[in-house]
Amino acid sequence: MNFVVGPMILPGKTIGILGGGQLGRMLAQAAAQMGYHVHIFEPVGPSPAGEVARKEVNAPYEDLAALRAFAAACDVVTYEFENVPAAPLRAIEGLTRLQPHRLVLQTCQNRSREKNWLREAGFPHAAFAEVPAAGDHAAGRASLIAGIHEVGLPCVVKTADFGYDGKGQLKVMGEEEIEAAAARFAGQAVVIERFVTFACEVSVVVARTAAGEVRAYPVTENIHTNHILDFSIVPARIAPAVATAAEKLACAIAEKISLVGVLGVEMFVTPAGEILVNELAPRTHNSGHWTLDACATSQFEQQVRAICGLPLGAVTLHSPVVMVNILGDAWGLQPGLDRAPTEPAWAALLARPNVRLHLYGKVSPRLGRKMGHFTVQSDEVETALTQAKALKSGLAKAT
Ligand code: AMP
C-alpha cells in the first residue's frame, strides 16, 4: 500500500467518523477541542458520539448513496470500530481521504486475514490453523476437529469474522471439550489458535502519519475478566527490555501495514519474556483511555493529528495510572436477576482528587456493556491499582 502525502487538514475542516460508539465520542471531543467539525455515520442513532458532534447521519453502511453524501461533506474520514464493513468503503474512494486505508481495516477485521498477515510479515504470534466455512455440516465438523488436532490441545477456537471482547470464541482445554466446540462451530469459518499460557497481557497504542512519523505510547498491562478489559495498568509491570521490545514491535507493525492513524496492538507476554501478538485494532483502543488523563497527548488527539497529517504529539507519561472499565454490571445487574438498574455510587469516585470519571452517555446499562471508565493516578502504580480496585467494588456496592 502506498500513500500520497496530502496537504495538512487544519482546524476548521471536517472530520467524518464511521461508528458512533464511545471511541468515536472521545475522538469527536478531541477533534472539537482542536477546532475541527465532526460528522458521525452510525446505523442506529442517537449514538454516544452523535451526542457531541455537529452532525449525525443514521443509515446502514451498505447505503452507498448515504455513505457518498457523508464522505463528500468531510475532508477526511476515519473509523472507530473495526467491524465497519470494508467493501462499501470503496464507494467513497476519490471523494475524500479515508484513514487508515480500507485495506488496513479489511486485514484487521477478519482473524484469518490478520493472522496470515502477521505470519507473512514475520511478526510473532501463537501457532494457528484456519478452517474455512463449509455448507456441509459433516464436512465442516471433520475439518474443525482436524484443525484442533493440527494445532494441538489446549487451544482456542475463534470465529474468523466480527469478533471482539472474546465474542465468538471458545477454549478447548482437553479431548472431552472437542465435542462442544464441534457442536458450536462446525461449518463456520474459524481460526484455531494454540492456547498461550501467558505471564501477562499487554498492549501498545501506536500512531503513524502518512509522512512516516511513528510514535508508540508506553506499554499498558491489561487484566481481563470474562474476556472484557477490566484494568489497564501503566507502566506495565514487566522487565524494561520486554517493554522496549513490545514498543518496537508495535512501531514495526504500524510501518509494515502502512498505517495512517492509530493502531492498538494486543500482545501476550510469556513467562520467558517472549512476546506474541494477539490482535490488531486499527483505531484507538480501550487500553489507551488512560492517555486522556495521564499523558501529554491523548490517543484521540493523536488520531486526529495522524489522519489530518499534523505532526504527532508527545507521548510522555505524567504519572503512573490505572484505568478501570465501568460496565453495565455496576448498575446492579446480574445474570438471571430481573430488576431495574440502580445508578452506581458515583460520589466516592468524584470525591477523590486523583480520580477522573468518563461516562459515554449510554442510556441503558446492560451486563458487559461498556458504559464508561475511570482513571486513578498515583506516584506508585501499586497504590493506584489498590485504590482502583477498592473504588470499583465500591461503585456496585451501593446497589
Ligand atoms: P481476543 O478476542 O482474541 O482479544 O481474546 C480475548 C481474550 O481471550 C484475550 O485477551 C485473552 O485473555 C484470551 N485469549 C485469546 N486468545 C488466546 C490464546 N490463544 N491463548 C490464551 N488466551 C487467549
Side-chain angles (χ1 to χ4, degrees), residues 15-34:
I15 297 176
I17 304 174
L18 302 169
Q22 64 268 17
L23 300 178
R25 177 184 175 99
M26 292 182 272
L27 177 60
Q29 287 168 324
Q33 181 183 307
M34 296 169 78

Side-chain angles (χ1 to χ4, degrees), residues 111 126 156 158 163-167 169 171 193-198 201 224 227 266 268 278-279:
R111 289 189 203 270
V156 186
K158 304 180 176 183
Y164 65 99
D165 286 345
K167 291 188 169 69
Q169 64 170 267
K171 277 187 209 153
E193 276 173 34
R194 183 84 191 156
F195 182 82
V196 179
T197 309
F198 50 78
E201 291 187 79
H224 294 83
H227 294 286
E266 297 177 21
F268 301 123
N278 175 35
E279 219 173 50

